[in-house]
């Protein structure tokens, strides 16, 4: 009978053990020894603590001691060290074995390796968190489009919003097809022009090398081409069957140089050079780090040259034209403190800038990278900093710590449900979730302002 028990105990996939009523272990199956590389002399009694992770052992001892004392069934999850030094996660359970009178005779326990299951759950949790983050960022961009779009009437407003959101949706579809590895430049331009182009007339030619755009570049360039296409359909080459549009591009030293040239028509009047569409184009290009847009309206339509730096580690050697840099939105009051905005999504940054300036704060930036933010504060230290928690894949925590040392109040804005791994010195910072609600955003700034006043 005993031989049969040992055969069965050694054949099960779990690590198994038995303990005295007080919890002192006196037997392990062979799988325990094979995994831990230990002997009974080392493990008997409470010697098993030696193979537990030091970060978990006190918690495990406390919980299992409670079970041994009360006679309640025990269950816990913790890592155990293998004979190779690797820690793997085990789901562990133990039940008391009682006699006819109900007295505990011994405990029987098992440890089941759930490492792969735990990794899978962690990957799924991370994936869901990233999906939530991406969705909220997308909602913040859509919110910015709605908030920033201006029009003379409801129908024009509706058409502008729908067009811009559709443009973003097309870019997202391209990126989704590549699992967000990138988007083909020619396909992106073609998709944006398609709603305005009668293919049978062959009014549009696209020419240039194959270029795969990074996701952030693809989304911004989609909006740029959408605005150019919309203008061409309203005033330019795509407004007439006789019009032609030639789009050519080349890649030089990590920089896309794109030429948009309209011809074949005769404009009676040149379109306005102001408005949200024009501002959007200027700002989108500016945020490309040395990106530039040179446009010239002729009687035949628009001629535009676009320079987009695609690799920030590979400088183009050309300095941006200062005349292209647009000033930040003017605030309506100078009584409120200055606010630095650090946000890598251009539309969201524009939306924040106009909301905050409208509330009376002086805006510094927006900065699209942590390094750009550092350069800004060297010459203009803010009183409050509104920081995206993740800026272009870089955590803004170090920047926040440096600003806090300088006496700046920090407000984080994020697409995540909550910010993880915040340094101890930032645990009390306000966190505003995307998409933004005015009352929440402005209340966070008000609280930051009150903290500054208390210090003074």
């Amino acid at each position: 009978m005993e031989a049969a028990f040992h055969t069965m105990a050694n054949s099960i996939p779990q690590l198994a053990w038995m303990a005295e009523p007080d919890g002192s272990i006196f037997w392990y199956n062979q799988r325990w020894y094979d995994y831990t590389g230990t002997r009974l002399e080392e493990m008997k009694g409470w010697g098993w603590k030696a193979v537990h992770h030091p970060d978990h052992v006190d918690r495990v001892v406390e919980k299992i001691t409670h079970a041994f004392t009360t006679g309640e069934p025990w269950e816990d999850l913790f890592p155990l060290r293998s004979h190779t030094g690797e820690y793997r996660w085990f789901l562990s359970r133990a039940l008391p074995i009682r006699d006819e009178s109900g007295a505990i005779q011994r405990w029987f326990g098992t440890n089941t390796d759930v490492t792969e299951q735990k990794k899978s759950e962690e990957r799924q949790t991370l994936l869901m968190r990233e999906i939530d983050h991406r969705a909220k960022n997308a909602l913040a961009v859509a919110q910015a489009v709605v908030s920033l779009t201006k029009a003379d009437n409801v129908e024009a407003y509706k058409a502008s919003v729908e067009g811009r959101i559709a443009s973003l949706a097309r870019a997202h579809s391209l990126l989704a097809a590549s699992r967000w590895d990138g988007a083909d430049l020619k396909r992106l331009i073609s998709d944006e022009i398609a709603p305005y182009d009668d293919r049978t007339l062959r009014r549009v030619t696209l020419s240039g090398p194959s270029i795969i755009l990074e996701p952030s570049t693809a989304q911004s360039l989609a909006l740029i081409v959408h605005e150019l296409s919309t203008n061409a359909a309203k005033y330019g080459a795509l407004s007439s069957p006789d019009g032609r549009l030639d789009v050519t591009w080349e890649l030089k030293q990590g920089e896309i140089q794109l030429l948009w040239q309209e011809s074949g028509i005769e404009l009676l009047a040149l379109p306005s050079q102001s408005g949200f569409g024009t501002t959007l184009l200027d700002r989108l290009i500016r945020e490309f780090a040395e990106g530039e847009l040179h446009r010239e309206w002729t009687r035949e339509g628009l001629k535009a040259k676009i320079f987009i730096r695609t690799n920030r580690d590979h400088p183009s050697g050309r300095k941006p034209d200062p005349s292209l840099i647009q000033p930040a939105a003017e605030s309506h009051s100078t009584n409120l403190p200055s606010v630095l905005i650090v946000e890598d999504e251009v539309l969201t940054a524009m939306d924040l800038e106009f909301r905050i300036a409208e509330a009376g704060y002086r805006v510094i930036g927006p900065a699209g990278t942590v390094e750009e933010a550092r350069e800004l504060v060297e010459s203009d230290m803010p009183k409050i900093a509104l920081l995206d928690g993740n800026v272009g894949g870089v955590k803004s925590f170090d920047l926040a710590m440096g600003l806090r040392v300088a006496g700046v109040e920090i407000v984080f804005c994020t697409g995540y449900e909550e910010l993880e791994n915040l340094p101890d010195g930032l645990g009390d910072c306000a966190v505003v979730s995307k998409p933004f609600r005015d009352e929440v955003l402005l209340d966070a700034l008000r609280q930051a302002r009150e903290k500054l006043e208390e210090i003074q």
Side-chain angles (χ1 to χ4, degrees), residues 57 132 149 194 265 308 332 369 417 425:
V57 64
D132 180 58
T149 297
I265 63 170
I308 299 173
H332 296 280
T369 67
E417 189 66 27

Side-chain angles (χ1 to χ4, degrees), residues 341-415:
I341 299 175
V342 183
E343 167 62 54
D344 58 355
E345 175 50 61
V346 181
L347 281 174
T348 303
M350 287 178 66
D351 188 24
L352 285 171
E353 175 184 359
F354 281 100
R355 289 194 201 201
I356 292 171
E358 184 75 17
Y361 294 89
R362 182 173 70 85
V363 174
I364 299 174
T369 67
V370 170
E371 286 308 310
E372 185 181 347
R374 294 187 194 281
E375 292 175 4
L376 286 173
V377 300
E378 283 182 4
S379 57
D380 194 356
M381 182 65 69
K383 295 295 185 180
I384 302 172
L386 185 62
L387 310 180
D388 190 354
N390 189 315
V391 187
V394 178
K395 297 288 187 185
S396 60
F397 299 161
D398 287 345
L399 171 64
M401 290 292 287
L403 290 173
R404 181 151 250 203
V405 169
V408 178
E409 281 298 320
I410 307 298
V411 177
F412 285 108
C413 54
T414 177

Side-chain angles (χ1 to χ4, degrees), residues 88-89 92 144 211 289 297 302 327 388 395 423 436:
R88 295 184 66 82
W89 285 87
S92 303
I211 299 175
W297 278 103
L302 178 66
D388 190 354
K395 297 288 187 185
F436 305 107

Side-chain angles (χ1 to χ4, degrees), residues 59-73:
R59 170 183 62 81
V60 173
V61 169
E62 180 180 359
K63 192 170 181 179
I64 200 170
T65 299
H66 176 78
F68 290 150
T69 302
T70 62
E72 298 172 357

